Amino acid sequence: MDCYTANWNPLGDSAFYRKYELYSMDWDLKEDLKDCLVAAAPYGGPIALLRNCWRKEKAASVRPVLEIYSASGMPLASFLWKSGPVVALGWSAEEELLCVQEDGVVLVYGLHGGFRRHFSMGNEVLQNRVLDARIFHTEFGSGVAILTGAYRFTLSANVGDLKLRRMPEVPGLQSTPSCWTTLCHDRVAHILLAVGPDLYLLDHATCSTVTPAGLAPGVSSFLQMAVSFTYRYLALFTDTGYIWMGTASLKEKLCEFNCNIRAPPKQMVWCSRPRSKERAVVVAWERRLMVVGNAPESIQFVLDEDSYLVPELDGVRIFSRSTHEFLHEVPVASEEIFKIASMAPGALLLEAQKEYEKESQKADEYLREIQELGQLVQAVQQCIEAAGHEHQPDMQKSLLRAASFGKCFLDRFSPDSFVRMCQDLRVLNAIRDYHIGIPLTYSQYKQLTIQVLLDRLVLRRLYPLAIQICEYLRLPEVQGVSRILAHWACYKVQQKDVSDEDVARAINQKLGDTPGVSYSDIAARAYGCGRTELAIKLLEYEPRSGEQVPLLLKMKRSKLALSKAIESGDTDLVFTVLLHLKNELNRGDFFMTLRNQPMALSLYRQFCKHQELDTLKDLYNQDDNHQELGSFHIRASYVTEERIEGRVAALQTAADAFYKAKNEFAAKATEDQMKLLRLQRRLEDELGGHFLDLSLHDTVTTLILGGHSKRAEQLARDYRIPDKRLWWLKLAALADLEDWEELEKFSKSKKSPIGYLPFVEICMKHHNKYEAKKYASRVGPEQKVKALLLVGDVAQAADVAIEHRNEAELGLVLSHCTGASDGATADKIQRARTQVQKK
């Protein structure tokens, strides 16, 4: 245990810092780090190198090579830089490489060197060129800050949603600031810069001078500044050799340290652990590395070669040509267990487990001591937590064995934390492997989340490892295996050296009906890579037509899209394709396509009936569908034509179409309608009033109501209206006029073809009982009882029913005997009904 703490370095009395090797780098660099633009992504991300040939007085004739490596030095991409001079490199939160050029254009590349996109930082930047740039990360994205040749700052807080902000001018700034950085406060990005002894803070509207709290006097210049990983703290290196550390607002001072070195450092970064009270800054010169904090002494390391610092959430990565190391504060759990002469519960439990393996009785003594203090639960938790912060698998196992040993003596200790830690460490050890090269710490892993880690493995095309992790952690398929397989398939379609059939078959065999996988998304990627036939083959495996059709339309395979839409039975989808085809094809080809798809033709006709009547007419003409063409002209005569001449002409066209369709009934009916329209127009001219568009029956009724009975009868004869129908029409019209005298004359004009019961009924409907009785006496025997009951003559109705000896009539009369005065009648009816039933 003493040897284990040999690389621990105390900083004051309360914290230890240790530096251990992550990888032995074997990347065969052709240039020294000091001659390159360097960018390393946080959270164990990749490293990008580009020879900085533009800062030399005479640019080299050989173009530089942009190289991308994993954190372990494994090459990921390498390509010749053919664009303009680069000022700065940086990685976005999505691990995209941002290359800021001198002209203000930012080129974005993928992890494997593929060009993604580019954007400009504005015309002002283009005109004045870029002097310096920073890529920074905030909670809402990755940003870019630019210092132009006019000594003005421009920034965008999120390159994914580019919104450029031109920062206020700094008064009197005529040269490059000695140092500057970006701050993020209240979700707003700020610029902090140093000009001589003054500090200026720029926000979106103002430029204000700020002074660090408690800064030692005599400062004439700030040479370097660093903001912490979480943007909460700031460090300033002055020309007096002092390092001021405080909050990012500069209102609170944490400490100040005199390093006795006035030369400006190459780099200065924060090194702090989440939830730790200790704050430290790492400062690097050419061959010296210094860790300073709130302590009178510092920790110093000798650098054997050019090194580069990468700030992390819980420490600092340091890589050079030959090694990649991690410097961090020793976590509390590890410190309590491994500190020399420690009597912490975790330390005792670890010793107890070791003695137990030696079969020594000291194991029992250590264990009893922990139990007597009631700290066994705490001891187990300390060992589990410390195991998470260890980098070497052997030490992880030793601590977890101790935790497992302690758990055996606890009755109610939940194993969840132990199991989770075992799972997490297995995942971490897998991705820390040299060939993977993602040296995440436990704290970084928890901050990053498993989903983001899987995304990064997919980005590196490490699909088998990602799937193994998903299966090991038993993640839901949609979030895990399915999503990774979909990414694998999207990568597979980019392999242009394999035939379309082989790629489609391989994807289908691997994916099958895996839930959460969209073949249409994979097909879209194939189409984006220029492999249209492969995209069509992949769409055959897509079970949802709604996902197939839009992509087929995009690929200009409209006829195939129409077939798929029809197969789906989704009319909205069919309409979508039809409208697309209409805009894409000429009229003739469009109609020919519809003729081959009866369902689509039917749906398009329905659409045209409501939206495009002229197109509907053309469809009927092309198909020689005279029956539907006749119906179209009849509809047009009422819907689109307003003048009577136009309507008659439309009806004539309809009649001709019906004759061509050999539908003589429809043709004759149409001609009769034309004749009626002309007559109605003439009636309006001669008699006034409204006749146009009335039906034949309504026209007759209107004439009767207007007192033109003769003309109504003539119209009935002309159109062969049956007598019964004419009598009904005249009966209703005269009753509506309440012209009872004329109604009586009409009833006596000749024998009624409809009988006289209707006269009784319509008089009673108009509450005229007096007139109804006149016609009740004329009603025939078979309807006499009903007529008498309608006028309320129950007694006479009873006599007639008894005379007819009809059981139905007797029952009808009996149902009307409801009053007290009808009691005798009811008795008489009941006796007659009984006699009829006996017979």
Side-chain angles (χ1 to χ4, degrees):
M1 194 178 300
D2 293 346
C3 295
Y4 182 75
T5 60
N7 64 342
W8 289 22
N9 297 277
L11 186 66
D13 298 329
S14 57
F16 290 88
Y17 285 78
R18 65 178 173 183
K19 181 162 66 80
Y20 58 83
E21 184 177 283
L22 296 174
Y23 303 107
S24 176
M25 304 293 274
D26 187 23
W27 48 0
D28 190 25
L29 296 182
K30 298 178 178 61
E31 304 287 341
D32 291 332
L33 290 179
K34 63 181 179 181
D35 296 327
C36 297
L37 291 172
V38 183
Y43 294 100
I47 302 168
L49 302 174
L50 179 65
R51 182 165 58 88
N52 192 4
C53 59
W54 299 284
R55 291 191 180 180
K56 298 178 181 178
E57 293 183 2
K58 186 177 180 179
S61 59
V62 180
R63 290 184 177 274
V65 175
L66 179 61
E67 299 172 298
I68 301 176
Y69 297 92
S70 71
S72 61
M74 294 287 289
L76 298 176
S78 176
F79 60 92
L80 200 64
W81 185 259
K82 297 181 180 180
S83 192
V86 178
V87 176
L89 299 177
W91 292 93
S92 71
E94 293 79 22
E95 291 195 328
E96 290 181 324
L97 182 61
L98 308 179
C99 307
V100 184
Q101 294 190 148
E102 196 177 57
D103 59 1
V105 175
V106 181
L107 304 180
V108 184
Y109 291 88
L111 191 65
H112 294 279
F115 178 75
R116 298 286 178 84
R117 65 187 187 280
H118 74 280
F119 58 89
S120 174
M121 294 299 289
N123 289 329
E124 182 190 351
V125 178
L126 175 62
Q127 294 170 4
N128 296 303
R129 320 304 283 176
V130 177
L131 293 181
D132 199 4
R134 299 279 191 278
I135 287 85
F136 59 95
H137 305 287
T138 65
E139 59 188 16
F140 41 85
S142 301
V144 177
I146 297 287
L147 172 62
T148 69
Y151 306 113
R152 296 290 299 272
F153 288 91
T154 299
L155 67 78
S156 172
N158 185 2
V159 296
D161 181 19
L162 193 66
K163 294 178 181 177
L164 299 178
R165 284 171 45 201
R166 188 166 182 258
M167 307 303 281
E169 187 175 1
V170 180
L173 182 60
Q174 298 296 325
S175 61
T176 305
S178 57
C179 58
W180 64 279
T181 190
T182 55
L183 303 176
C184 186
H185 179 64
D186 293 335
R187 299 176 63 87
V188 178
H190 304 267
I191 299 289
L192 180 69
L193 67 149
V195 181
D198 299 320
L199 292 174
Y200 295 93
L201 183 65
L202 308 181
D203 59 19
H204 66 283
T206 60
C207 170
S208 55
T209 304
V210 291
T211 303
L215 181 66
V219 175
S220 59
S221 178
F222 294 93
L223 304 180
Q224 186 66 273
M225 59 178 62
V227 65
S228 67
F229 196 84
T230 58
Y231 291 94
R232 294 180 61 188
Y233 302 103
L234 180 71
L236 302 170
F237 188 94
T238 67
D239 58 350
T240 59
Y242 277 83
I243 300 175
W244 180 92
M245 288 175 273
T247 58
S249 63
L250 287 90
K251 295 180 180 179
E252 183 181 345
K253 174 182 174 182
L254 297 177
C255 64
E256 199 167 19
F257 184 84
N258 183 6
C259 64
N260 295 317
I261 301 175
R262 297 197 175 193
K266 284 177 56 181
Q267 277 186 279
M268 182 170 69
V269 299
W270 282 82
C271 179
S272 57
R273 180 170 50 80
R275 294 183 298 277
S276 173
K277 296 181 180 180
E278 298 300 323
R279 301 286 177 263
V281 172
V282 180
V283 191
W285 287 270
E286 286 291 337
R287 290 292 181 266
R288 180 184 296 185
L289 189 74
M290 185 181 295
V291 183
V292 301
N294 189 14
E297 301 296 330
S298 64
I299 304 171
Q300 298 194 29
F301 300 95
V302 176
L303 299 176
D304 297 327
E305 49 192 345
D306 290 332
S307 300
Y308 189 84
L309 308 185
V310 185
E312 291 281 6
L313 174 71
D314 55 348
V316 179
R317 283 160 52 207
I318 308 165
F319 65 85
S320 64
R321 178 186 287 271
S322 59
T323 61
H324 195 161
E325 300 173 307
F326 186 66
L327 171 64
H328 73 129
E329 180 191 347
V330 177
V332 174
S334 298
E335 182 182 340
E336 289 184 347
I337 291 176
F338 295 110
K339 189 166 56 176
I340 295 174
S342 172
M343 296 298 291
L348 294 176
L349 182 58
L350 182 61
E351 286 299 319
Q353 193 274 333
K354 289 181 178 179
E355 295 298 332
Y356 175 76
E357 288 185 347
K358 297 176 184 177
E359 298 183 357
S360 170
Q361 64 180 11
K362 289 184 178 180
D364 183 61
E365 294 176 6
Y366 287 130
L367 195 60
R368 285 182 181 275
E369 184 176 349
I370 300 171
Q371 289 176 322
E372 287 173 0
L373 295 173
Q375 296 178 332
L376 188 53
V377 173
Q378 183 184 351
V380 173
Q381 291 173 340
Q382 278 186 350
C383 289
I384 293 173
E385 183 181 350
H389 296 296
E390 294 303 318
H391 185 74
Q392 295 299 326
D394 290 340
M395 186 53 69
Q396 296 169 4
K397 293 176 183 178
S398 178
L399 288 166
L400 289 174
R401 277 196 295 266
S404 178
F405 177 69
K407 280 195 312 102
C408 297
F409 300 94
L410 292 171
D411 295 331
R412 297 182 179 179
F413 185 84
S414 174
D416 293 345
S417 59
F418 179 83
V419 173
R420 266 197 309 272
M421 183 58 74
C422 291
Q423 292 175 334
D424 292 340
L425 286 176
R426 189 170 182 184
V427 171
L428 286 172
N429 290 334
I431 63 173
R432 288 170 181 168
D433 182 80
Y434 177 83
H435 297 93
I436 308 300
I438 305 179
L440 282 181
T441 65
Y442 179 75
S443 300
Q444 294 169 20
Y445 170 69
K446 286 301 180 182
Q447 179 72 18
L448 200 62
T449 72
I450 184 62
Q451 292 299 335
V452 177
L453 175 59
L454 291 174
D455 288 340
R456 298 197 170 189
L457 291 174
V458 166
L459 202 61
R460 288 161 173 76
R461 300 171 185 169
L462 300 171
Y463 306 108
L465 176 60
I467 290 174
Q468 287 176 357
I469 290 175
C470 291
E471 292 173 345
Y472 175 65
L473 297 179
R474 298 180 182 177
L475 297 179
E477 280 199 14
V478 175
Q479 299 176 12
V481 175
S482 298
R483 188 164 62 93
I484 294 164
L485 286 174
H487 282 289
W488 167 81
C490 291
Y491 167 67
K492 190 75 175 176
V493 300
Q494 300 175 33
Q495 298 178 348
K496 296 187 178 181
D497 56 332
V498 185
S499 67
D500 294 343
E501 291 80 3
D502 292 342
V503 172
R505 190 184 309 109
I507 290 175
N508 180 246
Q509 288 175 353
K510 180 71 73 172
L511 270 60
D513 297 327
T514 304
V517 174
S518 172
Y519 280 96
S520 61
D521 292 342
I522 303 168
R525 179 64 65 88
Y527 177 67
C529 295
R531 305 185 70 173
T532 305
E533 293 303 321
L534 174 58
I536 294 173
K537 291 180 184 298
L538 289 170
L539 282 178
E540 293 295 328
Y541 301 120
E542 175 59 62
R544 297 166 296 175
S545 299
E547 299 292 330
Q548 292 177 316
V549 170
L551 184 58
L552 288 171
L553 292 177
K554 186 178 178 181
M555 294 190 296
K556 301 188 183 304
R557 299 300 178 97
S558 305
K559 294 181 180 179
L560 180 57
L562 181 59
S563 299
K564 294 294 183 183
I566 292 172
E567 288 175 10
S568 73
D570 187 342
T571 54
D572 291 339
L573 204 57
V574 177
F575 277 128
T576 300
V577 180
L578 287 175
L579 294 177
H580 185 89
L581 278 170
K582 182 186 173 187
N583 296 329
E584 184 184 72
L585 304 175
N586 61 54
R587 199 177 186 86
D589 292 341
F590 177 56
F591 286 169
M592 287 301 295
T593 302
L594 290 180
R595 291 186 68 178
N596 297 326
Q597 299 285 358
M599 178 184 173
L601 179 59
S602 176
L603 287 173
Y604 189 64
R605 284 174 180 168
Q606 293 295 325
F607 169 77
C608 291
K609 283 181 182 178
H610 299 284
Q611 301 290 336
E612 299 180 4
L613 293 176
D614 290 340
T615 305
L616 183 63
K617 178 182 173 183
D618 294 341
L619 279 172
Y620 291 147
N621 277 324
Q622 185 178 16
D623 295 341
D624 292 331
N625 192 339
H626 299 295
Q627 177 66 34
E628 291 294 340
L629 195 59
S631 301
F632 170 81
H633 286 296
I634 287 178
R635 191 182 303 108
S637 71
Y638 283 94
V639 176
T640 60
E641 297 290 345
E642 295 183 359
R643 297 175 60 254
I644 187 66
E645 292 81 2
R647 296 177 61 183
V648 171
L651 288 173
Q652 183 60 57
T653 306
D656 294 342
F658 286 135
Y659 276 123
K660 291 179 181 178
K662 298 182 180 180
N663 188 344
E664 293 188 5
F665 172 78
K668 292 290 184 183
T670 305
E671 290 175 344
D672 287 344
Q673 181 63 21
M674 293 162 53
K675 181 180 175 184
L676 180 61
L677 277 176
R678 294 191 186 102
L679 175 63
Q680 289 173 339
R681 179 63 178 271
R682 190 165 62 251
L683 288 174
E684 286 189 354
D685 294 341
E686 295 174 2
L687 304 178
H690 174 68
F691 287 94
L692 206 60
D693 287 332
L694 294 179
S695 66
L696 178 60
H697 288 179
D698 289 344
T699 303
V700 172
T701 301
T702 303
L703 285 171
I704 296 171
L705 290 173
H708 307 289
S709 297
K710 296 295 183 183
R711 301 197 74 158
E713 291 171 1
Q714 182 61 44
L715 181 60
R717 286 193 294 271
D718 291 345
Y719 282 90
R720 298 176 184 177
I721 297 178
D723 280 350
K724 284 187 177 183
R725 193 173 303 166
L726 179 62
W727 272 67
W728 273 108
L729 292 173
K730 196 166 185 177
L731 172 62
L734 292 174
D736 288 340
L737 289 172
E738 296 187 353
D739 190 350
W740 307 115
E741 184 178 350
E742 184 63 31
L743 181 61
E744 187 174 359
K745 290 179 182 179
F746 171 60
S747 69
K748 294 178 180 179
S749 61
K750 65 176 183 178
K751 185 178 179 180
S752 170
I754 61 174
Y756 292 96
L757 181 62
F759 287 80
V760 177
E761 291 174 337
I762 204 156
C763 288
M764 292 304 297
K765 181 180 178 181
H766 287 78
H767 309 291
N768 194 334
K769 192 174 182 180
Y770 175 76
E771 292 293 332
K773 286 184 177 181
K774 291 181 182 180
Y775 303 108
S777 60
R778 299 168 63 182
V779 175
E782 65 278 0
Q783 295 178 327
K784 191 78 170 180
V785 172
K786 188 175 181 180
L788 291 171
L789 289 174
L790 284 172
V791 299
D793 194 347
V794 179
Q796 190 175 354
D799 293 338
V800 173
I802 291 171
E803 183 182 346
H804 290 170
R805 304 184 70 81
N806 187 309
E807 185 179 1
E809 291 180 351
L810 290 169
L812 182 63
V813 175
L814 185 62
S815 66
H816 282 72
C817 297
T818 56
S821 59
D822 296 329
T825 303
D827 292 341
K828 184 167 59 174
I829 290 294
Q830 190 63 47
R831 287 195 299 273
R833 191 177 183 186
T834 303
Q835 291 176 3
V836 171
Q837 289 174 348
K838 286 180 179 180
K839 289 184 178 181

